[in-house]
Amino acid sequence: MKKLSCIIVDDEPVARKILHEFVDQVPFMDLQGKFENATKAEVFLKSTAVDIIFLDIEMPKVSGLQFLQKMHIESMVILTTAFPQYALEGYELDIIDYLLKPFALSRFLKAVHKARDYYQMKTRTVGALLPSYIFIKSEKRIEKIELNDILYAESVGNYVGIYTDSKRIIAYLTMKSLESQLPPEEFIKIHQSYLVNCSRIQAIEGNEIKIGSNSLPISRNYREMVMKIVQQRLLKR
């Protein structure tokens, strides 16, 4: 497996130093840069893609959460903060993990191994036979869901709601975890909180997708990607 590239974004010099030391102790990590604010990190990311961003929340001018809301981030994000009240909002932005300062090396390692596991699932061998269904643990039972039956999934706090024509299934997992188990050519993100089944889209009107009896918003950050996929199957004169 290739090394996972990463950057550190934190306005505290001591925090950047500690994270740098922790990253150096992980054989599969490759630090690409350290930035004292989100603006500098944004400039770097426009020209260089990385696998993981260690992102502080409380920073001057642009907070870590504002940074995530503003940019279409493909990288895995591990939030690092001294403020536990941001945990729920962080998970709504589809982060990999949330490190509460001060954190020990053991907790840091747990987070980066979680990121590595997600990366390996996402990049599993192309062409591997994908099942036509998945199993989801919901409350005290495990439910089988046919992929064709899924309309869309919605991230709500620390769980995901999976909607079909007839029901909603609550699963205690992250949107990234669900996304990694679904064929990317069939299921696309239209918003930080929504993943839709392309084959079940009925119409696109303005900045909304009509699917089932619902209208879901297409966020500005995802609109270009959504329209590229639509254009591939758009009939022309």
Side-chain angles (χ1 to χ4, degrees):
M1 174 184 155
K2 80 174 188 75
K3 286 192 173 185
L4 297 181
S5 58
C6 66
I7 62 172
I8 295 167
V9 187
D10 198 308
D11 65 322
E12 299 177 4
V14 173
R16 292 197 300 272
K17 182 176 182 292
I18 291 172
L19 280 168
H20 190 166
E21 292 174 351
F22 283 2
V23 169
D24 282 348
Q25 296 184 58
V26 183
F28 59 82
M29 300 285 289
D30 178 24
L31 183 62
Q32 295 286 306
K34 297 184 292 183
F35 304 94
E36 63 190 32
N37 58 57
T39 303
K40 291 182 178 180
E42 181 178 352
V43 172
F44 176 83
L45 291 171
K46 285 180 178 177
S47 60
T48 307
V50 297
D51 298 309
I52 300 174
I53 301 173
F54 294 100
L55 181 65
D56 186 24
I57 293 180
E58 286 284 345
M59 293 186 291
K61 294 185 179 179
V62 179
S63 73
L65 295 180
Q66 289 171 334
F67 173 69
L68 289 181
Q69 292 164 347
K70 176 183 177 183
M71 288 192 71
H72 175 206
I73 300 291
E74 292 291 345
S75 309
M76 297 175 283
V77 176
I78 297 175
L79 291 179
T80 61
T81 181
F83 301 93
Q85 66 266 30
Y86 293 118
L88 179 59
E89 190 172 354
Y91 281 112
E92 287 177 347
L93 291 170
D94 212 11
I95 65 167
I96 284 288
D97 208 344
Y98 186 100
L99 296 177
L100 187 61
K101 297 176 181 177
F103 48 85
L105 175 61
S106 58
R107 180 64 183 89
F108 173 85
L109 292 174
K110 182 178 180 181
V112 296
H113 279 88
K114 183 177 179 181
R116 184 186 64 176
D117 291 345
Y118 171 73
Y119 177 85
Q120 290 176 332
M121 284 192 298
K122 188 175 180 180
T123 57
R124 64 183 178 267
T125 305
V126 176
L129 183 62
L130 293 171
S132 62
Y133 57 87
I134 55 176
F135 286 102
I136 294 291
K137 186 175 182 181
S138 177
E139 296 181 351
K140 296 182 179 180
R141 58 184 290 177
I142 296 176
E143 296 208 33
K144 177 184 177 182
I145 309 175
E146 295 289 340
L147 297 188
N148 288 338
D149 290 341
I150 297 174
L151 294 173
Y152 66 94
E154 179 184 14
S155 175
V156 184
N158 60 352
Y159 67 87
V160 173
I162 301 173
Y163 294 78
T164 69
D165 286 313
S166 60
K167 60 184 176 180
R168 180 183 71 162
I169 298 168
I170 299 299
Y172 290 91
L173 45 77
T174 66
M175 184 69 87
K176 279 189 181 294
S177 297
L178 176 63
E179 188 179 2
S180 71
Q181 301 295 318
L182 299 174
E185 68 277 7
E186 296 177 30
F187 289 83
I188 62 170
K189 291 281 285 292
I190 64 168
H191 188 281
Q192 284 283 7
S193 299
Y194 293 104
L195 178 74
V196 303
N197 185 345
C198 291
S199 66
R200 302 303 299 272
I201 295 174
Q202 296 167 314
I204 298 176
E205 193 173 314
N207 290 320
E208 290 187 334
I209 279 182
K210 310 293 182 182
I211 189 164
S213 59
N214 301 281
S215 295
L216 306 179
I218 305 173
S219 75
R220 182 181 59 186
N221 291 336
Y222 287 91
R223 181 171 179 78
E224 182 179 352
M225 182 173 60
V226 171
M227 295 313 297
K228 279 183 180 178
I229 293 171
V230 172
Q231 289 291 335
Q232 293 173 3
R233 299 194 182 189
L234 182 65
L235 294 183
K236 301 177 182 178
R237 294 179 61 185

